[in-house]
Amino acid sequence: MSESGVTVGVFDSGVGGLSVLRAIRALLPAQGLLYFGDQAHVPYGPRSLEEVRAFSEEITRFLLRRGAKLIVVACNTASAAALQHLRLTFPQVPFVGMEPAVKPAAETSRTHRVGVLATPATFQGALYASVVERFASGTTIFQDTLPGLVNEIEAGRLAGAKTRRILEKALQPMLAEQIDTVVLGCTHYPFVIPLIQEIVGPAVQVIDPAPAIARQTRRLLEQHGWLAQNEAAGFLRFVTSGAAQPFAKILPRLLGENGPVEGARWNGSNLPD
Ligand code: DGL
């Protein structure tokens, strides 16, 4: 096991994956973490699976060139569109992907009625269909895509009137259906948990998968002997395909800490260094 371990690459369409990065950082403070936010293309949710797959492959190449050895796809949409493809294309690279946490929700719901919040692309993907088929028989699922919410969160409007309206419109009909569990199937949504909890009340559990993703990242690092030991060597670096300054400004609010932010530019379908 090396002192400094290896760099973990983490990506999302924008700031959403920071909810996952926060959990990884809390669990693995000694690890080097390189985050890519594809803000030039956010939101991914309304795009085709093919398009998101192409972005995901190119971002993975970028992160690998920058020294990442393990990739966390900190985006449900990119996981739905590309996880299988990425594992086939980069067989030497361990990937941690995301799927809506329907399994723990179905296991713990007492009303057997669960709300799932995710993007249109995530709901379209085969991954979601397979999770529902495997784990949710006997559970009634209510779905919503929360149109516009990702943009509000990207803009840092975590408790604004529009953010509240979007959430109420989705959650109130679900509450009328007696759901007792809400699954956050998009990594942007944990940033509005306080508002969600306020709307659904304390009796409804809200499932954020980030801690489980962090534990899976640690398991894979351990398996490969890549876990970093020396806390002083841990680092956080950021790349955005959007504007670096607004990204740097929102970081402390969403992540609770800072790090150097670099801009990257798409050149057609390529992401040059
Ligand atoms: N944060 C992403 C997810 O987990 C993508 C949201 C978006 O860009 O639409 O699905």
Side-chain angles (χ1 to χ4, degrees):
M1 208 175 287
S2 75
E3 271 277 286
S4 56
V6 305
T7 301
V8 173
V10 180
F11 77 89
D12 177 54
S13 60
V15 299
L18 296 174
S19 67
V20 177
L21 191 74
R22 188 172 57 181
I24 295 175
R25 180 81 170 149
L27 194 65
L28 304 169
Q31 209 73 34
L33 304 174
L34 175 61
Y35 184 88
F36 190 100
D38 192 11
Q39 291 184 301
H41 294 135
V42 71
Y44 277 2
R47 295 176 185 272
S48 74
L49 295 173
E50 291 70 28
E51 194 177 16
V52 175
R53 190 174 308 139
F55 296 154
S56 303
E57 181 179 333
E58 189 57 16
I59 293 166
T60 298
R61 290 189 194 286
F62 181 94
L63 291 169
L64 295 175
R65 284 201 305 274
R66 293 294 180 95
K69 293 274 186 293
L70 180 148
I71 305 287
V72 179
V73 185
C75 174
N76 291 77
T77 307
S79 297
L83 191 56
Q84 217 183 357
H85 171 78
L86 293 174
R87 288 189 166 130
L88 288 170
T89 309
F90 306 97
Q92 77 289 7
V93 178
F95 285 91
V96 178
M98 314 213 40
E99 59 186 28
V102 169
K103 183 174 184 237
E107 282 168 0
T108 54
S109 169
R110 274 168 286 128
T111 58
H112 304 289
R113 297 165 89 76
V114 165
V116 181
L117 308 177
T119 69
T122 296
F123 285 132
Q124 272 161 37
L127 192 59
Y128 179 69
S130 119
V131 166
V132 170
E133 192 186 305
R134 280 181 293 148
F135 305 120
S137 60
T139 301
T140 308
I141 305 260
F142 301 89
Q143 299 174 186
D144 202 286
T145 59
L146 300 168
L149 186 61
V150 165
N151 288 339
E152 293 306 297
I153 293 170
E154 284 288 319
R157 292 189 286 270
L158 307 182
K162 185 167 176 197
T163 304
R164 176 182 285 274
R165 253 199 322 277
I166 296 168
L167 284 167
E168 281 176 348
K169 190 162 176 248
L171 292 167
Q172 277 163 354
M174 292 183 180
L175 290 171
E177 294 285 355
Q178 318 296 332
I179 60 152
D180 67 351
T181 306
V182 175
V183 173
L184 303 184
C186 168
T187 55
H188 279 75
Y189 302 163
F191 294 119
V192 291
I193 286 178
L195 192 50
I196 293 176
Q197 202 74 64
E198 196 185 310
I199 295 167
V200 297
V204 173
Q205 67 161 340
V206 179
I207 301 185
D208 172 7
I213 298 300
R215 288 193 297 274
Q216 174 63 5
T217 305
R218 182 172 64 185
R219 263 194 297 276
L220 281 183
L221 287 170
E222 265 165 3
Q223 269 172 28
H224 287 82
W226 289 345
L227 206 56
Q229 298 297 307
N230 175 6
E231 227 173 274
F235 64 81
L236 265 183
R237 291 187 197 126
F238 303 88
V239 183
T240 175
S241 60
Q245 230 180 350
F247 187 90
K249 197 163 162 231
I250 204 173
L251 262 182
R253 256 184 91 197
L254 298 184
L255 195 64
E257 57 184 320
N258 248 321
V261 180
E262 182 195 328
R265 286 274 162 277
W266 285 94
N267 183 357
S269 54
N270 296 321
L271 205 47
D273 281 319

